[in-house]
Amino acid sequence: MASKRHHLQPINGFWYYRRRIPNAVLRLLAPGTKPVVKLSTGIHVIDDPDAVRAIKTAVKFDEAHERDWALRVEGHADAASNLTVAAIARAKVHGYRYSPANEVANLPLNEVLGRIEVLIKSGTIDQKIDRTALLGGVSKSSVMLSKAAASYNEFLRADHNGKSPNQLLKAEKKKEAAMRRFIAVVGDRDLLAVTREDALAFRKWWSDRIENEDITTELALKDIQDVRGIIAAIIDRDGLHAFDQKAFDGIKNFKRHSNQREAWPLETVRDVILAADPVELEAMCYDIMLVVIGTGARPSEVVALQPQHIHVGPKDNLPYIAITDDGREVKTANAKRKIPLVGVALEAVRRNPQGFPPYNDRAAAACAKINAWLRQFQPEPEEGDVYKTIYCFRHSFANRLYEVHATDKMRISLMGHEGKGPKYGEVPLTAKAEIMNKIAYSRIA
């Protein structure tokens, strides 16, 4: 019959889709997997002798399986699911949208009964794939969050053919970074399991960073939009509309004063904060604060320090810390740098030669404790103003560099700011130490 090329065969009075799995794919499947896919179209041969309707169904099965097989061959088995894609295609044949079992259970009774009636009338109620298609049974998308960004980038790569390779790489890395941050907050899971609570937790995580670090709301919003876009695109691609499309709705307002926070005055730092009894602040958090005060480093950079980044041993003639991208992203290319340790910063790091392990990836938690302790040194802010935070010590450090007439190149090399123009050579550590000694808080009063 003409239907042969569409992998159709008449079996027991029905048109069946029957196609051999390519050897390259079969080798990737579980041992014992049958080498032939066999699915009923639910269409009687007598009602469709030329297989006109059956061919339309077979084409949908073909598209679903070929996509699944391609993903497996390309090494993306986590993004593939024979049962899921077949169930989606089969549900469309019956005129329904596929829904996982938990969603079917919440449908109006008459719709559930309607689905069962279709199975009975088509004679396919005994077919597992048909029962799965209309009554659920595959409650996962088979795409984990950890694989979602790569799957998304591959899916939409053709849409960005106007971009240069570098532009494309940059855009893809941005999506991957956003998803990594989301996973760090909510954990890795099937993307269909993402809830409104997860979206709110991600928003709170960003709110804490905006509050405690020099981060713009624009970066937070882009991250949230990227995560939502990745999940929604994959859901739409696979026809799995179980994801709560409203999970991220309204996650866009971050309260923050538009003006940059003021720096801590020199006198307040030297004569008040460093002279105060830190008994009510956790010792490690106090030392984190001292390192920020003495080096101007970002709090997130300080808490991320690993033992190999800390050089305060007896063989280190010039003690310093190294800010690197080992295991973490840095804010700018210049953020990777070496900062000499002097004064209170040196004392604090010597007390913590292994770094600050409890806060390695919990900068917001450390900042929250420190900021709460710092409020005792400030009056209640007037309307429109905000409390100074640990990050304001970084602004104080910058001001002090200006006071001692540090060059632009020196300021960039110490603070890790984005520099303009070509970069010729590096500022020697000894030159940095000379400047640092001029502004060091030499002791705690």
Side-chain angles (χ1 to χ4, degrees), residues 266 396-408 410-411 414-415 431-441:
L266 167 63
S396 302
F397 183 86
N399 288 348
R400 299 198 70 197
L401 289 177
Y402 280 109
E403 290 172 4
V404 296
H405 307 292
T407 64
D408 288 344
M410 177 64 75
R411 289 196 300 272
L414 285 172
M415 302 201 65
K432 293 181 183 179
E434 184 178 345
I435 289 292
M436 296 282 284
N437 277 309
K438 292 181 180 180
I439 62 174
Y441 296 99

Side-chain angles (χ1 to χ4, degrees), residues 57 60-61 64 84-94 98 133:
T57 300
K60 292 179 181 177
F61 283 153
T84 301
V85 294
I88 294 167
R90 196 75 189 101
K92 289 180 178 178
V93 168
H94 286 302
Y98 173 78

Side-chain angles (χ1 to χ4, degrees), residues 160-170:
H160 301 299
N161 54 14
K163 292 184 176 179
S164 69
N166 284 338
Q167 288 176 321
L168 182 61
L169 181 63
K170 184 176 181 180

